[in-house]
Amino acid sequence: MTIQEAQQTVDQWITTTGVRYFNELTNMAILTEEVGEVARIISRQYGEQSFKASDRDRVLGDELADVLFVVICLANQTGVDLTEALERNLAKKTIRDADRHRNNDKLKSAEG
């Protein structure tokens, strides 16, 4: 599925199953909540916190998909073409960071 197809699919789902988009402020709050759920899994799976019984069945991919869904909702309702936006953003980063990361001693391997 392309990003454009994802935007169309989410819009179709919202207008049929979801009835309508939540307003932008509500979706921003939902996005924050979903990112928090991703953080909870990451901190327990890759960090030093242990899983609570209520967190054991959560799947990182599912939570990331929730984040993506809400980002797509926000893009759709604010008229953002995410394909164009991502292409512009990558071009900006490529120019801005052409040598930045290569010259970052913190990113060089220990071997090398």
Side-chain angles (χ1 to χ4, degrees):
M1 178 182 299
T2 66
I3 297 172
Q4 181 181 27
E5 290 168 339
Q7 283 193 254
Q8 292 168 348
T9 300
V10 167
D11 188 65
Q12 180 66 28
W13 187 92
I14 290 292
T15 57
T16 57
T17 305
V19 180
R20 66 169 178 79
Y21 285 94
F22 294 127
N23 70 43
E24 295 84 352
L25 289 174
T26 299
N27 273 335
M28 187 63 227
I30 293 168
L31 177 60
T32 302
E33 179 183 329
E34 297 298 350
V35 168
E37 291 176 10
V38 169
R40 178 183 296 270
I41 291 172
I42 294 288
S43 69
R44 284 158 175 73
Q45 189 167 339
Y46 300 99
E48 297 172 339
Q49 287 191 319
S50 60
F51 277 96
K52 296 177 183 177
S54 60
D55 294 332
R56 290 194 188 280
D57 293 333
R58 294 189 181 248
V59 177
L60 180 58
D62 191 45
E63 299 303 335
L64 288 169
D66 285 343
V67 169
L68 182 58
F69 182 88
V70 180
V71 167
I72 290 171
C73 286
L74 284 165
N76 284 352
Q77 65 193 136
T78 59
V80 173
D81 179 324
L82 284 172
T83 301
E84 281 182 18
L86 182 59
E87 287 170 351
R88 280 192 315 273
N89 188 269
L90 286 170
K92 175 187 74 176
K93 283 176 175 29
T94 299
I95 292 166
R96 181 190 67 201
D97 300 330
D99 295 316
R100 178 174 160 231
H101 299 301
R102 236 185 308 261
N103 295 329
N104 182 347
D105 289 337
K106 294 177 183 179
L107 296 178
K108 294 182 180 172
S109 68
E111 299 172 14

